[in-house]
Amino acid sequence: MHSYSLISPAKINLYLEIIGDRPDGFHELVMILQSIELADRLDIKPSDTQDIYIHCDHPQVPTDETNLAYRAAQLMCDVFPDVYANYGGVSIKIEKNIPVAAGLAGGSGNAAAVLVGINMMWELGLTQPELQELAAKLGSDIPFCISGGTAIATGRGEKLDALKDLDNIWVVLAKYDNISVSTPWAYKTYRQQYSESYVSDAEGIKSRTAKVRSSPLVHAISYKDSSKIGELLNNDLEKVVLPEYPQVGELKSAFPAQDVLGTMMSGSGPTVFALCESESKAIAVKQQVRTQITDPQLNFWVTKLSSSGIQIQSST
Ligand code: ATP
């Protein structure tokens, strides 16, 4: 049996709209999800026992069964009991480069990498749609993390349609180490404040979704019009997160409007990202914001949009 090293990229939301409530208790969403080059690395190999082991030295990442990578491995063991009985457990080492609890789907990406890695290691031969169906059982963002690139996500976020790949756009990410936003809190608060405007009937959801599909942002993506993409970014969750965490709002305002294509909070935050037309611009923008906000808790990353989901880096 081979061992695999996989690249597990982070994502940002170019668009996040909350449309309404679903009977399963989740929100009905329309999102445009985008992979970025900032990524974790996972090494997946057979363990000597029937157990699943997670190794990660990042203090905020659990190494027990609450780790999403563990849950992904457990799911594969449950769905393929005979293969698991034959091959035994799995050992997973996570090199964490993506900031944790940041709205960048780091944990979801790790789970996606485990599904892809175990599919290879156990020679299961599952197709990408089959893997994505399994991924949807674990979390709404995980199917996207498998295929990556640029995609429109509907339903809970698990129904995907690929959009044209975007490249040549650079990203500055900024996040305070000492601020974390609970994703359930953000959605719950949004429901408390905005549920009157929710659409719940199937027809209303369909027409709202269709409107986003034919929206100026989707049009701008199809023409790779970076300036328009930057102007049309949207995230409904900013309406509840920014008032509660004023530092995040101030951070967003600190990005110089004339030097960036656009700025937005990713997912439920607290990471703020700015899109820039070149690497040199992104580095200059980062330095400008750093000069303005000297708080040592504020961290930056400069990265690029990516057209890739989970990638196999090597096998031994
Ligand atoms: P999303 O954008 O999908 O809401 P996120 O980027 O905000 O996710 P994660 O980095 O995935 O958040 O982490 C959320 C929580 O999940 C963390 O508090 C962490 O303790 C836990 N967690 C479980 N497994 C992982 C993992 N493999 N990597 C990072 N965090 C994990």
Side-chain angles (χ1 to χ4, degrees):
M1 216 182 337
H2 293 291
S3 301
Y4 289 88
S5 289
L6 299 110
I7 302 296
S8 157
K11 66 92 189 132
I12 54 173
N13 297 78
L14 300 179
Y15 189 90
L16 190 160
E17 181 180 341
I18 299 173
I19 295 186
D21 267 326
R22 295 163 52 88
D24 60 12
F26 285 94
H27 275 97
E28 183 74 32
L29 304 171
V30 187
M31 299 186 286
I32 298 177
L33 301 172
Q34 173 65 57
S35 303
I36 56 176
E37 286 188 354
L38 177 68
D40 294 338
R41 200 184 104 139
L42 274 79
D43 295 324
I44 301 183
K45 60 178 188 184
S47 77
D48 300 331
T49 67
Q50 290 300 115
D51 293 326
I52 298 164
Y53 297 100
I54 303 284
H55 307 274
C56 182
D57 53 17
H58 192 294
Q60 283 170 274
V61 176
T63 52
D64 59 10
E65 67 286 348
T66 62
N67 193 302
L68 272 169
Y70 185 105
R71 291 183 46 217
Q74 185 65 61
L75 178 69
M76 292 302 254
C77 297
D78 293 346
V79 175
F80 301 100
D82 298 342
V83 188
Y84 165 54
N86 189 28
Y87 286 146
V90 185
S91 170
I92 301 161
K93 185 170 164 223
I94 304 172
E95 182 190 297
K96 190 50 75 180
N97 304 311
I98 303 170
V100 176
L104 299 172
S108 297
N110 294 173
V114 169
L115 298 180
V116 171
I118 292 181
N119 184 38
M120 301 291 293
M121 195 168 79
W122 288 355
E123 298 175 333
L124 296 169
L126 298 175
T127 61
Q128 186 164 287
E130 285 168 340
L131 282 172
Q132 287 176 315
E133 212 179 302
L134 284 175
K137 294 181 199 290
L138 292 168
S140 308
D141 282 345
I142 306 177
F144 167 76
C145 293
I146 291 181
S147 48
T150 311
I152 190 156
T154 53
R156 291 186 283 128
E158 84 291 7
K159 290 185 211 147
L160 298 171
D161 289 300
L163 295 173
K164 198 167 231 175
D165 283 338
L166 291 173
D167 36 31
N168 286 325
I169 298 181
W170 291 80
V171 190
V172 184
L173 301 171
K175 179 188 174 282
Y176 283 100
D177 253 359
N178 54 342
I179 302 181
S180 59
V181 180
S182 146
T183 303
W185 170 85
Y187 279 100
K188 194 177 95 198
T189 309
Y190 194 92
R191 179 179 280 121
Q192 281 163 359
Q193 296 183 13
Y194 296 100
S195 62
E196 275 169 21
S197 62
Y198 280 11
V199 178
S200 301
D201 60 299
E203 228 11 77
I205 288 171
K206 211 169 131 195
S207 77
R208 194 65 208 101
T209 304
K211 206 162 168 189
V212 176
R213 280 186 204 283
S214 59
S215 69
L217 179 54
V218 172
H219 200 253
I221 291 170
S222 67
Y223 282 94
K224 300 195 177 198
D225 182 341
S226 312
S227 313
K228 273 270 174 302
I229 293 169
E231 275 171 34
L232 295 165
L233 300 170
N234 175 71
N235 183 350
D236 278 353
L237 289 174
E238 281 197 346
K239 291 191 252 175
V240 292
V241 176
L242 299 195
E244 186 71 20
Y245 298 89
Q247 267 180 298
V248 180
E250 284 158 23
L251 173 59
K252 192 184 164 195
S253 315
F255 281 93
Q258 68 283 9
D259 289 333
V260 301
L261 299 164
T263 318
M264 192 58 44
M265 184 182 81
S266 185
S268 55
T271 303
V272 170
F273 69 86
L275 303 181
C276 298
E277 65 202 4
S278 67
E279 184 177 23
S280 56
K281 193 78 146 239
I283 293 168
V285 161
K286 174 190 128 175
Q287 278 156 357
Q288 261 176 284
V289 180
R290 166 50 81 214
T291 314
Q292 226 175 304
I293 307 178
T294 51
D295 189 333
Q297 298 281 353
L298 181 60
N299 286 310
F300 294 90
W301 296 260
V302 171
T303 182
K304 204 180 173 198
L305 301 192
S306 159
S307 53
S308 305
I310 302 301
Q311 302 140 65
I312 295 159
Q313 193 180 43
S314 61
S315 75
T316 50

